Every structure is written in structure tokens, then in C-alpha cells.
Amino acid sequence: MTAKVLHIATKMPAARRRQLAPNGVIGMIIFIFAEMMFFAGFISAHTIVKSGAIGGWPPPGQPRLPIEQTAFNTAALLASGAMLFFAHRRFSKDPAGARVPMAIAMALGAFFVAFQGMEWAALLNEGLTVTSSTHGAFFYLIVGAHAAHAVAALLALLYCFVRLLQRNLVMPQLMAAEIFWYFVVAVWPLLYWRVYL
Amino acid sequence: MRAGSFTPPTSSWLWSALVFAALALPAKVLACPVCSPGRDDATTQAFLSMTIFMTLLPLTMFGVIVYWLVRRVRAAELAAVGPELAPTTEE
């Protein structure tokens, strides 16, 4: 075994400067790490404030959050992530074949954002505002931050989609945008569990 | 004593004082004013669980990325030497 390892070592190229992962992917992973801590801070603060709330949570007189409708919206977002995964697999074999699943993934993501917007409008009409209570403040802060990330990730996917139509899309670009969208998809169930339920 | 080195105390009274301080001081130096005993259980539990969550999350993330990079390094090394030279498990 030792002799074989030495044999392998002597066969190694002298200067190994092969890139382990594309720069865009590494950069996006670092960005996602920072964003995960950003949302973890929100969740931590929300959990502690919620546990110490006097009179129950949500506070008395504040509207209840639409749990069932948002569960449906959560399913749409998860389906969007699944479609993007499918698009990735198609892209690696036949780039043109990734157009339809990627378009569906983006449409589902846009539906999620639009549905959230309608939900916000309804809650504002019911009296839940940023200043109405800590419940409202946390809700708009956490869900709003997630919506901002969803819009940014959708723009990244749109950029990739345009390049795909122009036949200029390369895998590292798609992977970076994908990681961003997977983060948006993966963090949402946690936010839904902590904020809505 | 050489500069920068640490010589552990050897006398028994000094050891006793250190043990006493270790046992007695933590309750006095509890800095967090909101997670100390006396608060309701739910808040204390929330502080504890969120402290664990916020501590483990970055460690987990870095662990995952290091594991992923190590796997890619190994794959790149095997690809560089070729499959015929890759070490086998039988030897």
C-alpha cells in the first residue's frame, strides 16, 4: 500500500492549480453563510420575544396570520426548487431542454412573491403594521427580508434564463444562481414554522 | 522563569483557592441579566435553545464546506493520477 501511495505521489503533477469549484459558486456559498446567520439572528430574537410575550402570541387584538394559505404558497415555493433541480439535470445533458423547467421554476417563484404581496395587503387592511405590535414588527421584518432575497434570487435566475435563451449560459453561472434560490427555498419552511405556526 | 512560559502552581493552598474560586464564582459572574434563574421557564428555555442554535449553526456550515472541499480535493487527486493508479481497498 505504501509503495503504491508513493508511486501515486510521484505521478502527481508538480504544480496542481486546478480549481476545485468555480469562483462564483464559492462566492455565493460565502454570501449564503452570511445570510443564514442574518436569518438565524432574526429567528433567535423572534423566538425569545415570543416566549416572553404576556397574554399569548400573537398579542391580543392583533390579526392571526393566514396559516393555510401560506402553507399552499410554501408548497409552490418547494415545487419551484424541485423544478430548478430538474432544470439543472436537463441543462447538464441538453441545455435547450432546461428552458421549460427553468421557466416553470421562475413562474412558481414569482407566484410565491406575488402571493406574499397579496397576503401583506390583506394583513395591513386588518391592522397588522410594523408599529402595531412586536408581532407585526417581526412579521414584516422577517418575511420582508425573505421576500427581498426571493426577488433578488429571481432576478439572478432571470439573468441566467436570458443567457440560456441566448445560448450563452455556462454551468458555473447557473450553479451560483441555483444556490441562491435553493437558499431562499430552504430557509422558508423554517421561517414559516417559527413565524406562522 | 523564562519570559512567556507558564509554571503551574504547586502549593496546596493555591490549588485550594483555585478550586474554591471555580466553584463559587460562576454564580457571581453570571453576566446575562435576562437568562439567569428566576425568570420564567419559557424565556430561559428560549435563550438556552437559541444560544445552542446560534453556536452550532456556523460550526455546522463550516464543517459542511470543509467536508465538501476535502471530497473535491480527493476526487481531483484521483482524476489527476488516473483510475488505474487509484488505491484500492484490497491492499
Side-chain angles (χ1 to χ4, degrees):
Chain A
M1 178 69 187
T2 308
K4 194 160 209 172
V5 169
L6 286 173
H7 181 59
I8 292 168
T10 55
K11 290 281 181 184
M12 291 274 190
R16 285 180 295 142
R17 293 181 182 274
R18 282 158 56 104
Q19 199 173 19
L20 288 175
N23 289 341
V25 171
I26 293 289
M28 185 58 75
I29 288 172
I30 293 169
F31 173 70
I32 294 303
F33 278 9
E35 295 303 293
M36 283 177 77
M37 293 310 294
F38 175 75
F39 279 101
F42 282 161
I43 287 295
S44 178
H46 177 265
T47 301
I48 289 165
V49 169
K50 185 178 175 181
S51 70
I54 299 168
W57 192 270
Q62 288 291 290
R64 299 298 181 259
L65 299 177
I67 294 173
E68 292 82 11
Q69 294 95 314
T70 310
F72 171 72
N73 208 19
T74 302
L77 187 64
L78 293 175
S80 168
M83 286 308 293
L84 190 60
F85 179 74
F86 183 61
H88 177 99
R89 291 177 66 99
R90 291 294 297 271
F91 182 80
S92 58
K93 293 171 187 168
D94 170 31
R99 289 176 184 171
V100 173
M102 196 167 170
I104 295 173
M106 290 168 56
L108 286 167
F111 170 80
F112 172 82
V113 174
F115 198 95
Q116 288 293 100
M118 289 191 292
E119 180 187 295
W120 276 35
L123 287 170
L124 284 168
N125 282 334
E126 291 177 25
L128 185 72
T129 66
V130 177
T131 55
S132 63
S133 65
T134 50
H135 177 229
F138 270 116
F139 172 78
Y140 288 111
L141 181 67
I142 295 173
V143 178
H146 181 266
H149 283 76
V151 170
L154 274 176
L155 290 175
L157 286 179
L158 181 64
Y159 172 77
C160 289
F161 187 69
V162 170
R163 289 187 67 91
L164 178 66
L165 293 179
Q166 295 170 341
R167 301 173 191 273
N168 287 330
L169 183 65
V170 291
M171 186 56 100
Q173 288 174 331
L174 178 62
M175 283 176 69
E178 263 185 283
I179 291 169
F180 196 5
W181 187 250
Y182 290 148
F183 164 71
V184 168
V185 172
V187 81
W188 177 252
L190 177 67
L191 300 181
Y192 176 70
W193 171 48
R194 298 310 303 168
V195 175
Y196 284 79
L197 303 182
Chain B
M1 183 191 297
R2 205 174 52 194
S5 64
F6 172 73
T7 306
T10 50
S11 59
S12 59
W13 67 266
L14 189 52
W15 275 113
S16 303
L18 284 174
V19 170
F20 175 76
L23 291 174
L25 285 182
K28 299 293 182 191
V29 299
L30 189 60
C32 179
V34 288
C35 56
S36 59
R39 298 278 300 188
D40 60 287
D41 286 342
T43 305
T44 306
Q45 189 63 37
F47 263 106
L48 184 63
S49 57
M50 287 302 109
T51 302
I52 293 169
F53 172 62
M54 293 289 285
T55 304
L56 292 183
L57 182 62
L59 296 175
T60 306
M61 290 191 301
F62 279 109
V64 168
I65 191 69
V66 167
Y67 175 73
W68 179 66
L69 286 174
V70 166
R71 280 180 62 93
R72 288 190 72 92
V73 167
R74 284 181 183 161
E77 285 178 351
L78 287 178
V81 298
E84 71 281 358
L85 293 175
T88 55
T89 52
E90 315 65 87
E91 293 181 62

